[in-house]
Amino acid sequence: FTGFISNMMAQNIGPEGKKFVPYVFSLFMFILISNLMGMMPVGLIPGLHAFTVTSHFTVTGVLAIISFAIVLIVGFGRHGFHFFSLFVPHGTPVVMIPLLFVVELMSFLVRPFSLALRLFVAMTAGHILMKVLAGFVINGMNAGAVYGAIVSLPSFVLMIGITVLELLVCAIQAYVFALLTSLYLNDAVNLH
């Protein structure tokens, strides 16, 4: 995992990306392990309940705000007020600069919200779907053998497939969060 994150940082930022490997690695592993822990079947043991902390917007929001704060600190610390040139691409006609600056600034300010929302929605939607299918399985079995065969069996098969898909989503969402963080850090380090 460290090699994977280190390579990702080197590809996206360059040699200066090594400084950010510990943070992005910690972020990636926290999200991955949190997502996978929520998939554990510990609900079968009385008194235990599987819980995915990344299915709460407050958790993903804090992670996104920390990443965004690091981007701002690095950007202003490295470039000062020249960091604002990130919002005006080279070669922009002078007439378009005020409008483009506002559009790019709004796009930049939405980044932490979209970063947090993407992880939150992906984890919440998958877990809701699994709970709905589990409800179909249980209610179909309680309704009798005929309903069990018509409703429970297909729902159970579908639930197995969704579980495998959710395990893949756990890893993909951790990767996407880390990748986008590294791309945002690239903007702060290299400007364009």
Side-chain angles (χ1 to χ4, degrees):
F1 286 114
T2 54
F4 172 71
I5 296 297
S6 184
N7 288 338
M8 181 175 69
M9 299 304 286
Q11 288 175 355
N12 291 330
I13 300 174
E16 294 187 40
K18 285 186 177 184
K19 290 187 258 184
F20 305 106
V21 169
Y23 171 69
V24 176
F25 173 78
S26 301
L27 189 67
F28 176 80
M29 292 307 292
F30 174 77
I31 294 170
L32 179 65
I33 291 170
S34 296
N35 291 348
L36 291 175
M37 283 179 61
M39 295 294 296
M40 296 294 172
V42 295
L44 300 172
I45 302 169
L48 292 178
H49 178 68
F51 180 72
T52 306
V53 296
T54 53
S55 67
H56 287 271
F57 190 69
T58 52
V59 173
T60 61
V62 167
L63 294 175
I65 287 170
I66 291 170
S67 294
F68 190 67
I70 291 171
V71 167
L72 290 176
I73 290 167
V74 168
F76 281 113
R78 185 174 174 98
H79 304 289
F81 288 110
H82 186 63
F83 182 64
F84 287 114
S85 70
L86 178 67
F87 308 127
V88 182
H90 298 290
T92 303
V94 176
V95 177
M96 294 291 295
I97 289 177
L99 176 64
L100 192 58
F101 181 82
V102 171
V103 169
E104 289 290 329
L105 180 64
M106 289 300 120
S107 171
F108 184 78
L109 294 176
V110 168
R111 284 179 177 182
F113 180 74
S114 68
L115 193 62
L117 193 65
R118 182 180 294 109
L119 176 58
F120 157 70
V121 167
M123 297 315 299
T124 302
H127 283 66
I128 289 172
L129 180 60
M130 288 174 47
K131 287 180 183 179
V132 167
L133 289 173
F136 285 160
V137 170
I138 292 168
N139 290 334
M141 288 171 48
N142 288 338
V146 174
Y147 289 113
I150 295 172
V151 175
S152 294
L153 189 59
S155 295
F156 184 71
V157 170
L158 187 58
M159 197 170 145
I160 292 171
I162 297 294
T163 301
V164 171
L165 181 65
E166 273 296 296
L167 289 172
L168 184 62
V169 168
C170 288
I172 289 172
Q173 288 303 316
Y175 170 70
V176 167
F177 203 99
L179 176 67
L180 289 174
T181 299
S182 72
L183 292 174
Y184 298 158
L185 284 166
N186 177 48
D187 287 345
V189 171
N190 299 319
L191 283 184
H192 280 288

